[in-house]
Amino acid sequence: MLCLATLSCSPKAESADPFTGAKWIGTSERVLYADYLPQFILSADIDIAPGSARASVLLGGNDPRLMNADLNILGVENGPDESYVRVELDREKKSVNVYRTGYTKADVPEKVFQSLAVADSLLADGSAKLTVQVTYNQLRISLGDVILGRVNVGPLGGSGDYIAYPQLADVGWLVDEGQTARVSNLEVREIRGPNALLYHIDGMTAAASGVKVLCEPSYGGMPVLRNSFKIKKKDIESATLYATARGIYEVSLNGEKVGADFLAPGLSQYNKHHYYQCYDVTKQLLKGKNEFLVSLAEGWWSGELTYGSGNRNYFGDQLAFLASLHVKYSDGSTQSVVTDPASWRVTTDGPVVYASLFQGQVTDAQRSLADAKWKPAEEMVLDGHVSDETFGQTAPRTDEYENWQLVPQEDPSPRVFTTLTAESVSEVRPGVYVYDMGQNFAGIPSITLRNLKAGQQVRFRYAEVLYPDLPEYQGNEGMLMLENIRGAMAQDLYIASREPVQCFEPHFTQHGYRYLEITGVDQAPALDDVKGLVISSVQGFTAHYESSNPLVNRLWDNIRWSMLGNFISIPTDCPQRNERMGWSGDLSVFSRTATYLSDVDAFLTRHTQAIRDVQMPDGRMPDVAPLGGAFGGLLWGSAGITVPYECYRQYGDTSILALNYEAMQRYMDLIAKKYIEKETGLMTQGNRGFGGLGDWLGPQNGQLDNSAIWDAYYIFDLQIMQEAATALGRNDDAAAYSQKLADRKKQFVDRYFDKATGRFIASGYRPTKPGQIIHIQSSYVLPLAFGIIEDEALRRKVMNNLVETILRPGVTDNGISCPPYSLMTGFITTAWISKALSDNGRSDMAYRLLQQTSYPSWLYPVTQGATTIWERLDSYTKERGFGGNNSMNSFNHYSFGAVGQWLMSRSLGIDRDPAMPGFKHFILRPEADPTGQMTWAKGWYDTPYGRIESGWKRSGGKVEYEFTIPEGCSATLRLPGMPEQELTAGRHLF
Ligand code: BGC
């Protein structure tokens, strides 16, 4: 059970290495839970007797999801040994044949699903090694060292974008009647180098005929470490535990959880900066005998991370724990307890059988630590356990430890933010209970289970949405929609003990969900027994917005919920599918909103460290951090510049600029040198074919000239650099950036605008033709929002064009007609459109866009029942369901929530003063909705000096304003029709 009262101490408390004498400890014993392993390498030796031709290996056998029609959308329900994937070597036909059995209703066991040809040379001798590398739905098959080809056996689609079939599940071999062969040395290895051996079975002891064997390879459990130690019987002044893990850990001291953190030590680029935590355990420590119990799980260290093939073991394939307890007695003497193999013991027999962030947790409550076999702990080394493969080709290596540092964590750990209780339950099929938590969130369940029989298996599955009652989802209506979480299974299993009341709370996984399905119980647990722990690094909000428009209020709530769900150790794109990555583009556009919503200075400072840790030697900023690499380009990489800037401006924190400045400069140099085409000056990002991502998920992206979007962001980056250099007193740099900024702005205007009409002219960068007019919203937004057009007359024309594109109906690239006042913008330009309008005197249009309810708009998802921000503005519609986007479709993605900053800075008008970072002095410039649709708005922002309040109300023809300025702060007030004035602390009415 949680112990939220235990406080963590300041990690700065002790500056010297607190781990002196401590060793990384754990066990080299492995765990394999075959039903939860979608990526692996299976191999076997195949000896075919003279006169015979064929023998097969089997994998993916008896997957429980295919043995119960309630657990799949394929309509299959197989009996024992009726479902598997079979890979057959056929010497006669000179082929390797793949058969898929029991995965879909159409599968025919004896019918070849796909064949790969085998060259004669590979069949020269009677014995061969067959290797099947499985990356989600793809089989890569080799004979000896030769790759024969790939076969996609996924019944729903290939790659990690689809529910993963097969899992490893049961493995075995098959020799037909009339054939004589031997399949031996069957091995399963980890997918990623150094490809640790997970399972070995001798297989057939001799050649035989008519044999079909499927066996369950699972074994082991997650490691638990134990240490009993004695504390002297004298007064303790303080006791501090320093701890971290390769993997994630949870410590209990004398049976009580230490601290309130979850998923510690969080995700970082572990080979560069590995964070440790610090807990004050003075109150938990007993005089005399004490005991530590430490549970370890894969977490991000060796578990799954990213959508990619081979997405396991990015940092290592073994778990380890490092800790040191420092006790200070009142008489001045000290004692320490450190992790060392000599005094710690370890078991893999504990109740947590397996736990994965993506796949879920399997707990067998019949297994007890009291009955476990304890062995001496082992010292764990990295050598031989870290891969030399990276995430994609552009990411840095994770086995490079030259600049490794073990550092104290200074940002808040993920903790329980709040607890939800299920709001309703329905039995959607006999025995299938679906609970609605009333809110999409990220976290874990906490379920009280009553009257279970010992050994009873209860299954929990998690989804953001249910299948609606539309013809294309026939048969699955009301069931969990799991296609969008793709290669993450998100399934917990609980095997009951004989206790009458049991609590299931899986601490070593994390799910993104609103709906929870419980099966395997005789009776649906009561709503009160079904709780959800909302886990987030955000522990409090510093901003509030409320208005006369309830839909906008829900939008605001949705933005907050998406921030909660995606600020978990790192800022992620989404918390549910097989991704959960620190995508930079998403953060870049959301960061200003985030800085209003909560005090994220420390959280984002840590993240900028991760960004710097994976910056490439040539200066390239990553699209993803930690891990690095990918293909996004400038819009994504710019997070390395925009995030430190937003923190600096919001919090007045120059230290984050100082930390990042050199890295920012290197990136700017790279852009100048490599991203701009020498001959033309065009921003191509060094690639005329595909330079990188544009206005991601924009409905009219097919028409957009990406070079202009990149160029505009480069200009924004230059402006930031100029400000950063000035703030840091680097005046020469500031002057140089200022010059570049002016030049680039001029080039931009010359290149992209027709001076007579202000229309956007295509540069000729793919897929546009040079000189072509591209009259769409996203052509105009950034130049207006970033103040790129200095010439006022031209700016007015460009602005008129933006207005025109908003006022006319639009058509999406896939032919959907959208009414006037639709958001025809993607991740990037949606974040800036309201500013572009307000900066140019059209807040009326910003309010119209804000309050539009038809697709595509911010409120459309709200009208469809959204409780978080969606990845797509039409992730779900009542008419079109998921619109065919069943897999690339997160319901918890904060990017489109970037409008939050406009609500704070323009609608309430609590805005930063460009001349004075932080809010000691700020600009107060609320803008009442000129359209009259919204009649009042009010809210607050908590600064370090106190709460700023702002509100306006339209009554009759008049607007009334009310402000509170905290002690020690002042503001410049700008109200329409009134001269600017300075306000000091206190309440002000106008
Ligand atoms: C993520 C996005 C991300 C994008 C970049 C997606 O899969 O979910 O939010 O920015 O990839 O390609």
Side-chain angles (χ1 to χ4, degrees), residues 271-289:
N271 61 315
K272 301 279 186 198
H273 288 91
H274 198 126
Y275 294 95
Y276 65 82
Q277 289 67 48
C278 167
Y279 301 100
D280 180 352
V281 292
T282 317
K283 290 196 181 117
Q284 266 172 280
L285 210 57
L286 304 174
K287 288 178 185 162
K289 203 178 161 217

Side-chain angles (χ1 to χ4, degrees), residues 20-42:
T20 309
K23 298 203 164 76
W24 291 93
I25 58 168
T27 174
S28 54
E29 274 181 30
R30 297 193 172 272
V31 53
L32 175 61
Y33 196 76
D35 291 345
Y36 281 34
L37 191 67
Q39 305 214 45
F40 55 90
I41 300 168
L42 178 137

Side-chain angles (χ1 to χ4, degrees), residues 932-979:
Q933 192 183 349
M934 186 185 277
T935 54
W936 60 265
K938 62 179 181 184
W940 43 259
Y941 174 55
D942 282 338
T943 71
Y945 318 100
R947 176 165 292 183
I948 299 170
E949 289 176 317
S950 170
W952 53 264
K953 192 174 171 188
R954 188 180 288 279
S955 58
K958 262 184 56 205
V959 181
E960 289 164 9
Y961 299 90
E962 185 172 347
F963 311 112
T964 308
I965 297 177
E967 220 36 70
C969 281
S970 59
T972 303
L973 177 69
R974 291 184 194 144
L975 288 180
M978 273 175 62

Side-chain angles (χ1 to χ4, degrees), residues 234-235 237 329-334:
K234 45 187 186 176
D235 286 346
E237 188 185 298
Y329 294 102
S330 305
D331 63 6
S333 60
T334 60

Side-chain angles (χ1 to χ4, degrees), residues 218-275:
S218 301
Y219 60 85
M222 300 313 297
V224 181
L225 291 151
R226 188 176 84 180
N227 181 241
S228 298
F229 58 97
K230 285 221 174 86
I231 286 296
K232 300 196 180 111
K233 294 200 169 140
K234 45 187 186 176
D235 286 346
I236 299 166
E237 188 185 298
S238 68
T240 308
L241 176 69
Y242 300 88
T244 190
R246 296 180 184 142
I248 50 176
Y249 72 95
E250 193 168 82
V251 183
S252 77
L253 176 56
N254 302 321
E256 193 185 359
K257 177 176 159 80
V258 170
D261 298 352
F262 279 77
L263 309 171
L267 172 59
S268 64
Q269 188 68 17
Y270 298 114
N271 61 315
K272 301 279 186 198
H273 288 91
H274 198 126
Y275 294 95

Side-chain angles (χ1 to χ4, degrees), residues 592-877:
R592 184 167 178 204
T593 299
T595 60
Y596 270 113
L597 285 177
S598 188
D599 179 358
V600 289
D601 203 13
F603 179 87
L604 291 178
T605 298
R606 168 179 168 145
H607 191 65
T608 60
Q609 178 66 67
I611 290 177
R612 295 197 305 282
D613 282 349
V614 292
Q615 185 174 20
M616 296 302 281
D618 67 358
R620 182 180 163 160
M621 288 284 193
D623 304 339
V624 173
L627 277 188
F631 45 82
L634 207 150
L635 299 175
W636 267 244
S638 287
I641 290 180
T642 57
V643 173
Y645 173 72
E646 295 299 350
C647 288
Y648 156 66
R649 291 291 312 278
Q650 191 80 6
Y651 304 122
D653 175 9
T654 41
S655 65
I656 191 167
L657 283 186
L659 278 173
N660 286 283
Y661 186 73
E662 194 253 339
M664 291 156 75
Q665 260 189 324
R666 289 204 297 127
Y667 186 50
M668 295 305 284
D669 290 349
L670 174 80
I671 298 173
K673 271 194 219 115
K674 299 240 178 91
Y675 285 14
I676 298 171
E677 206 171 64
K678 292 237 158 31
E679 314 73 56
T680 59
L682 186 67
M683 175 64 80
T684 61
Q685 302 214 72
N687 188 339
R688 276 270 179 176
F690 173 76
L693 296 172
D695 198 15
W696 183 245
L697 299 186
Q700 293 182 324
N701 267 1
Q703 300 167 54
L704 194 61
D705 184 346
N706 278 349
S707 72
I709 305 286
W710 302 333
D711 218 337
Y713 244 82
Y714 175 49
I715 289 171
F716 181 41
D717 289 342
L718 282 168
Q719 185 204 309
I720 292 176
M721 291 309 291
Q722 182 207 320
E723 282 184 51
T726 309
L728 296 174
R730 293 170 176 257
N731 297 340
D732 292 350
D733 288 0
Y737 283 120
S738 168
Q739 185 58 51
K740 279 189 191 152
L741 175 63
D743 291 350
R744 201 66 205 167
K745 277 184 175 178
K746 187 176 174 312
Q747 279 195 46
F748 189 99
V749 170
D750 288 349
R751 188 185 308 277
Y752 294 110
F753 289 112
D754 176 73
K755 304 299 164 304
T757 60
R759 291 271 161 121
F760 182 93
I761 309 170
S763 65
Y765 184 80
R766 211 186 75 109
T768 59
K769 290 197 188 67
Q772 186 190 333
I773 299 289
I774 310 179
H775 189 45
I776 57 176
Q777 290 172 17
S778 32
S779 295
Y780 302 114
V781 167
L782 297 186
L784 289 166
F786 294 156
I788 292 175
I789 312 155
E790 306 267 341
D791 179 276
E792 208 188 315
L794 179 63
R795 189 167 62 240
R796 228 175 290 125
K797 289 177 197 163
V798 173
M799 181 61 192
N800 287 342
N801 286 325
L802 174 61
V803 167
E804 199 178 296
T805 55
I806 295 173
L807 285 176
R808 66 173 187 188
V811 180
T812 69
D813 290 341
N814 0 320
I816 300 173
S817 306
C818 309
Y821 292 104
S822 286
L823 276 182
M824 306 305 284
T825 41
F827 266 30
I828 307 297
T829 55
T830 303
W832 294 102
I833 192 166
S834 316
K835 180 178 192 299
L837 290 166
S838 288
D839 281 359
N840 290 281
R842 295 306 302 265
S843 286
D844 59 323
M845 296 198 84
Y847 272 107
R848 284 290 297 265
L849 282 179
L850 173 70
Q851 294 174 95
Q852 174 65 289
T853 50
S854 54
Y855 169 76
S857 66
W858 284 293
L859 294 188
Y860 179 72
V862 175
T863 66
Q864 307 293 301
T867 60
T868 33
I869 301 295
W870 294 350
E871 181 173 25
R872 300 168 180 273
L873 293 175
D874 63 346
S875 284
Y876 167 79
T877 70

